[in-house]
């Protein structure tokens, strides 16, 4: 089933808005700029979204949905080690899949407000749930700091312009390695084809 013209326009509109937000910030991007970049009238943009805040929330929504789903799946697992591994790997994948959005979240209060608005229960609720899984029940200060540094560091590094030249797989491996070390998780072993003969 293919997307209809309205859905295609909406998708292009959100992609264009994200690109313009990345270049100019949320506050520095107007509805007219989005319309001009798409070759549409402002009225055509209004057909899909009434305000820039609605566009910003729609741009943020896929990342928020992915995070919500990840936290639910991790919390449903019985073993804490499995919860931590799933959450860590899923968070790294989320950061890589939404690199532009993560970069904006780290630097633009407009996108941070949109993410907060589109998160049911707020980002504070997500933060508590994620830290609860990563730091464990009744964590000491070291466990809480390690969990917070792992989350924040993964997000900041994943969205950093300094690492934009790294390919997704290389960045994923590096972020997972750092996260595992900070959280005291064993490194995943990959089979060496030569040694397995």
């Amino acid at each position: 089933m293919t997307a209809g013209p309205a859905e295609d326009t909406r998708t292009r509109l959100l992609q264009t808005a994200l690109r313009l937000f990345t270049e100019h910030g949320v506050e520095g991007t107007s509805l007219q700029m989005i319309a001009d970049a798409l070759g549409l009238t402002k009225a055509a943009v209004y057909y899909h979204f009434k305000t820039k805040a609605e566009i910003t929330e729609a741009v943020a929504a896929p990342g928020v949905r992915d995070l919500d789903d990840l936290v639910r799946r991790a919390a449903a697992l019985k073993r804490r080690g499995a919860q931590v591994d799933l959450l860590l790997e899923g968070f790294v994948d989320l950061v890589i899949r939404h690199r532009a959005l993560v970069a904006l979240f780290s630097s633009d209060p407009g996108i941070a407000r949109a993410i907060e608005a589109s998160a049911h229960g707020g980002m504070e609720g997500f933060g508590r749930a994620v830290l609860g899984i990563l730091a464990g029940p009744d964590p000491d200060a070291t466990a809480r700091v390690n969990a917070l540094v792992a989350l924040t560091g993964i997000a900041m590094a994943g969205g950093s312009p300094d690492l934009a030249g790294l390919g997704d797989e290389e960045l994923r491996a590096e972020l997972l390695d750092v996260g595992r070390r900070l959280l005291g998780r064993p490194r995943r072993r990959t089979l060496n084809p030569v040694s397995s003969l």
Side-chain angles (χ1 to χ4, degrees):
M1 183 175 185
T2 58
E7 186 60 31
D8 183 52
T9 300
R10 186 179 193 280
T11 301
R12 287 187 323 112
L13 194 154
L14 293 175
Q15 290 169 344
T16 300
L18 178 57
R19 180 179 54 79
L20 291 171
F21 292 164
T22 301
E23 293 171 10
H24 306 286
V26 172
E27 298 303 321
T29 302
S30 68
L31 289 175
Q32 188 63 57
M33 289 169 71
I34 295 169
D36 290 347
L38 286 164
L40 299 173
T41 64
K42 204 166 164 184
V45 173
Y46 280 128
Y47 173 79
H48 296 279
F49 299 99
K50 300 299 178 219
T51 65
K52 184 170 63 173
E54 285 182 15
I55 293 172
T56 310
E57 287 176 30
V59 164
V64 171
R65 275 193 308 270
D66 287 353
L67 182 58
D68 185 39
D69 179 58
L70 175 62
V71 170
R72 272 195 245 134
R73 286 186 299 123
L77 296 174
K78 300 293 183 218
R79 289 186 321 101
R80 183 168 176 278
Q83 290 178 331
V84 171
D85 289 342
L86 177 68
L87 190 60
L88 176 61
E89 291 176 22
F91 188 70
V92 167
D93 289 341
L94 185 148
V95 164
I96 289 171
R97 188 169 47 255
H98 299 288
R99 277 172 106 163
L101 183 61
V102 170
L104 269 174
F105 180 71
S106 301
S107 64
D108 192 309
I111 204 73
R113 281 191 301 273
I115 288 174
E116 181 68 34
S118 57
H120 305 294
M123 287 307 289
E124 191 175 306
F126 275 137
R128 275 195 306 275
V130 170
L131 287 175
I133 291 170
L134 294 180
D138 300 318
D140 61 11
T142 300
R144 287 195 318 269
V145 168
N146 284 348
L148 192 57
V149 169
L151 280 176
T152 307
I154 288 167
M156 295 293 284
S160 172
D162 293 334
L163 300 177
L166 285 182
D168 289 351
E169 286 307 311
E170 183 179 6
L171 181 59
R172 182 180 193 279
E174 295 294 339
L175 292 176
L176 282 173
D177 186 51
V178 168
R180 285 190 182 105
R181 280 186 276 140
L182 282 168
L183 298 171
R185 300 300 301 152
R187 293 181 79 188
R188 296 281 170 118
R189 286 181 270 208
T190 56
L191 289 177
N192 182 340
V194 174
S195 65
S196 63
L197 293 176

